[in-house]
Amino acid sequence: SQLLATVSHELRTPLASIKGFATTLLRQDVTWSEAEQRDFLRIIEDETDRLGEIIDNLLDMSQIEAGALRIEREPTQLRGLVRELVDAMRMRTESHFFDVDLPTELPRVFADPRRVRQVIRNLLDNANKYSKAGQISISCQVDQDFVTVSVSDQGEGIPPQYLSKIFNRFFQVDGKSTRRKGGSGLGLSISRGIIEAHGGKMWAESVLGQGSVFKFTLPLAPNEA
């Protein structure tokens, strides 16, 4: 029932936009300027990407639940990956500024770079969506055989009673707010599943009214411990 309720809503919203703007472009009684046509097509493209993301999330979730998520691990350098994702996020917001704190000596982790990129992108995206403005920070800390990655924001924070539930499938702290921002309630669940498939852990800490920090660990690559 959760799946049907959430997915039906999340699929209908972008589908309605795609249908509406495609129908508008096909109207023969109106002549649209080239700029207007490009705007309509850009919206269609964005909504199509959103549909693709929802479908990818559902496929990832089904693979995680079946224990069949493919992880192709290799020695991976986090420094370039983190900076690439932060630079991309800077282009998407004018209300936030970013702080990147990486140690001078940052050993490689043994991980699937595509999947790690997916996790960090999701955490940065959440920090951007659920904090109106302020600083978003990402840091890495080396601890024996692991690297701990932290992503923090200066948003409203998470109520204590929800802190243990935010990684559950389809769980949303504020349903109306989440739907308004296009959330499906799968991102954090998938992210934790990816990290656990690497042998790591993922958790959250939050102070109501001050912000949240999400942390996860990844094992170091062989011979780098």
Side-chain angles (χ1 to χ4, degrees):
S1 60
Q2 281 182 313
L3 174 66
L4 291 174
T6 302
V7 174
S8 62
H9 179 276
E10 291 302 319
L11 291 177
R12 284 181 183 276
T13 303
L15 277 174
S17 292
I18 293 169
K19 175 66 174 177
F21 284 102
T23 300
T24 299
L25 284 170
L26 288 171
R27 287 181 59 180
Q28 297 182 357
D29 59 331
V30 181
T31 301
W32 304 107
S33 69
E34 183 177 346
E36 288 172 325
Q37 292 180 44
R38 292 188 65 83
D39 286 341
F40 296 159
L41 290 171
R42 190 174 294 110
I43 293 171
I44 291 174
E45 181 183 36
D46 290 343
E47 294 301 310
T48 304
D49 289 342
R50 183 177 171 189
L51 275 178
E53 182 180 352
I54 294 170
I55 293 169
D56 288 343
N57 283 343
L58 291 171
L59 292 173
D60 285 343
M61 194 73 253
S62 66
Q63 290 176 352
I64 289 170
E65 289 190 340
L69 185 69
R70 291 187 59 185
I71 300 293
E72 299 178 0
R73 287 187 274 190
E74 61 184 62
T76 301
Q77 179 56 260
L78 286 175
R79 187 181 305 277
L81 191 150
V82 166
R83 293 196 178 279
E84 168 196 332
L85 291 169
V86 169
D87 287 343
M89 185 57 66
R90 279 195 180 102
M91 303 294 291
R92 296 176 54 187
T93 176
E94 297 180 353
S95 305
H96 299 84
F97 58 96
F98 294 82
D99 177 68
V100 180
D101 183 13
L102 305 177
T104 304
E105 298 294 333
L106 182 57
R108 294 176 299 173
V109 294
F110 193 48
D112 184 330
R114 182 176 71 89
R115 291 297 187 179
V116 173
R117 186 178 284 106
Q118 180 181 351
V119 171
I120 297 176
R121 184 187 295 114
N122 179 61
L123 295 181
L124 288 173
D125 189 48
N126 283 349
N128 177 39
K129 286 195 295 185
Y130 299 112
S131 62
K132 294 181 180 178
Q135 179 172 295
I136 296 175
S137 303
I138 182 166
S139 63
C140 294
Q141 179 180 343
V142 184
D143 184 16
Q144 296 183 342
D145 296 335
F146 289 86
V147 169
T148 301
V149 180
S150 303
V151 177
S152 63
D153 62 59
Q154 296 178 329
E156 297 179 1
I158 302 167
Q161 66 269 28
Y162 296 136
L163 205 54
S164 62
K165 301 178 181 179
I166 56 175
F167 294 99
N168 294 347
R169 294 173 304 162
F170 304 112
F171 181 79
Q172 300 172 343
V173 173
D174 179 354
K176 291 183 179 179
S177 172
T178 305
R179 285 193 294 271
R180 194 164 55 244
K181 297 175 186 295
S184 63
L186 286 175
L188 287 177
S189 181
I190 291 170
S191 294
R192 173 179 270 187
I194 289 172
I195 295 304
E196 290 179 345
H198 282 83
K201 298 179 180 179
M202 189 175 202
W203 68 99
E205 301 168 359
S206 184
V207 177
L208 203 59
Q210 297 184 25
S212 306
V213 54
F214 287 81
K215 300 183 178 183
F216 64 87
T217 62
L218 289 170
L220 294 183
N223 302 321
E224 300 225 8

